[in-house]
Amino acid sequence: MKKKTIFITLFVFITLLSFSQSCLPDGIHFGGQQQIDDFQQNYPGCTEIEGDVSIVGYMTDLSGISMLTAVYGDLHIEWLVELEDLSGLENLSEVGGDLYIVRSEQLVTLDGLSGLQSVGGKLQIDLNENLTTISSLSNLTSIGDELLIRSNPVLYSLEGINNVPLDELNRLQITDNPYLSMCSIENVCSFLSDPSGVVLIHDNDYGCNSPVQVADSCDIDMVCLPYGDYYFACQEDIDNFNTDYPDCNIIHGNMFIDGEDINSLEGLNNITRIEGDLYIGVNSYPECNVSLLELDGFENLEVIEGSFNLNYHCCPIKI
């Protein structure tokens, strides 16, 4: 009887191991529905993929990989043609490397990632034409490197990343999301109060169109950015610079000046050094900015450590 009990216990232990094990050190590429459907049969017991995973292209159902609990490499979710959400990935709790969710034209929500708790590298959500919400990421509590949310034309909220401490990020980029107006969630406010990395916030809706707008909503004073670039899209941005960034005379990143109504740089007269590049008129072609005729306002600028880029097609500036 005792031997029988030991045998049954050992059998159960081995059975459990067969349903929970790491595999695929070189990763795997899912390029179609059949690969998804055949995964459990081809890799029985594989729940933790050691290498990189890519899920790309035409597929309609991810339930064939529903047993996955971890991807220790990078996870690329790209160019999905049919899927409106990510149902089937509910058991995934960890991505050890970077997580990319990009260029998936039908993706509306991130439903299916509700179990995700940590991303060891960067989280990048880019160029998803119909993505309206990322709220399904509400259980995410750790991002190891960078958070980039860019060029999602109908995304309207950051709800979903509000449980992630951002204080030690190397980069926070929220750009080119034209419906996104409210970015002053608590963790973003905390990051802006003392940035640990690059800050890029621009070309979103008003309220989230610059670090200063977000800081105002957070009721904090914006400091001269220790990292990151400065974007001046209108004359008001220039005029308010000394108020928005008091005592800021050294620009540690790049500076972009590009707006149809910009006719004076006098608001930048405190700047003595630009450690990156200076761009004037970089994006305005073919709608040329002909208002800015001279560089008065830069009298105290002594050094541009990077390059000076002037769009001659658009800016008839006297230097």
Side-chain angles (χ1 to χ4, degrees), residues 166-181:
L166 303 178
D167 294 351
E168 296 185 3
L169 282 185
N170 293 318
R171 184 185 189 92
L172 174 64
Q173 181 167 357
I174 306 171
T175 58
D176 298 288
N177 306 286
Y179 277 16
L180 186 60
S181 61

Side-chain angles (χ1 to χ4, degrees), residues 228-243:
D229 301 333
Y230 292 77
Y231 289 78
F232 299 96
C234 62
Q235 187 62 47
E236 183 180 9
D237 292 343
I238 301 283
D239 296 340
N240 292 340
F241 177 75
N242 289 329
T243 301

Side-chain angles (χ1 to χ4, degrees), residues 12-310:
V12 170
F13 178 71
I14 292 172
T15 302
L16 287 173
L17 280 179
S18 70
F19 284 101
S20 179
Q21 63 185 34
S22 62
C23 54
L24 295 168
D26 295 325
I28 188 170
H29 170 78
F30 295 102
Q33 186 62 49
Q34 197 62 50
Q35 287 177 283
I36 298 285
D37 295 341
D38 293 345
F39 181 75
Q40 295 187 52
Q41 179 178 343
N42 293 338
Y43 303 95
C46 179
T47 60
E48 301 172 353
I49 296 179
E50 297 176 24
D52 297 339
V53 174
S54 58
I55 304 172
V56 180
Y58 185 90
M59 50 198 70
T60 58
D61 179 15
L62 299 181
S63 61
I65 54 174
S66 62
M67 78 298 299
L68 291 181
T69 60
V71 173
Y72 295 125
D74 297 339
L75 173 56
H76 294 255
I77 301 173
E78 304 181 48
W79 297 101
L80 298 182
V81 177
E82 290 292 323
L83 289 176
E84 295 185 0
D85 61 42
L86 300 175
S87 296
L89 297 179
E90 285 85 358
N91 290 314
L92 183 68
S93 63
E94 178 182 358
V95 175
D98 300 333
L99 171 56
Y100 299 90
I101 304 172
V102 302
R103 295 184 183 276
S104 294
E105 58 188 47
Q106 299 303 320
L107 202 60
V108 176
T109 75
L110 300 185
D111 290 359
L113 290 181
S114 57
L116 186 65
Q117 298 176 25
S118 68
V119 175
K122 78 171 71 167
L123 172 58
Q124 182 169 330
I125 303 173
D126 277 5
L127 296 160
N128 300 291
E129 293 183 10
N130 290 293
L131 184 67
T132 61
T133 174
I134 57 175
S135 60
S136 296
L137 296 176
S138 59
N139 286 315
L140 184 64
T141 57
S142 176
I143 298 174
D145 187 12
E146 302 178 348
L147 174 60
L148 297 85
I149 300 176
R150 309 182 299 193
S151 301
N152 302 286
V154 294
L155 181 68
Y156 64 85
S157 172
L158 293 182
E159 181 185 356
I161 62 160
N162 33 326
N163 294 319
V164 184
L166 303 178
D167 294 351
E168 296 185 3
L169 282 185
N170 293 318
R171 184 185 189 92
L172 174 64
Q173 181 167 357
I174 306 171
T175 58
D176 298 288
N177 306 286
Y179 277 16
L180 186 60
S181 61
M182 209 290 287
C183 295
S184 54
I185 57 178
E186 184 176 351
N187 52 353
V188 171
C189 294
S190 178
F191 183 84
L192 288 181
S193 67
D194 185 18
S196 59
V198 173
V199 179
L200 295 173
I201 300 176
H202 61 85
D203 290 304
N204 306 302
D205 199 2
Y206 187 84
C208 187
N209 202 29
S210 71
V212 171
Q213 288 183 8
V214 181
D216 286 346
S217 297
C218 295
D219 197 24
I220 60 175
D221 293 328
M222 196 68 245
V223 298
C224 189
L225 298 177
Y227 318 94
D229 301 333
Y230 292 77
Y231 289 78
F232 299 96
C234 62
Q235 187 62 47
E236 183 180 9
D237 292 343
I238 301 283
D239 296 340
N240 292 340
F241 177 75
N242 289 329
T243 301
D244 292 339
Y245 296 94
D247 303 318
C248 184
N249 53 23
I250 297 177
I251 303 299
H252 298 292
N254 304 310
M255 178 179 286
F256 298 84
I257 300 173
D258 189 41
E260 294 182 10
D261 71 329
I262 295 178
N263 54 36
S264 171
L265 303 180
E266 291 292 343
L268 306 179
N269 56 15
N270 282 344
I271 296 174
T272 61
R273 178 185 293 267
I274 298 174
E275 295 183 345
D277 301 329
L278 171 60
Y279 297 85
I280 299 179
V282 65
N283 291 319
S284 50
Y285 186 81
E287 285 114 11
C288 297
N289 174 8
V290 296
S291 301
L292 188 61
L293 302 178
E294 55 190 12
L295 298 181
D296 289 356
F298 275 146
E299 291 88 353
N300 293 315
L301 179 61
E302 300 172 355
V303 177
I304 301 174
E305 294 187 9
S307 59
F308 177 28
N309 302 273
L310 180 63

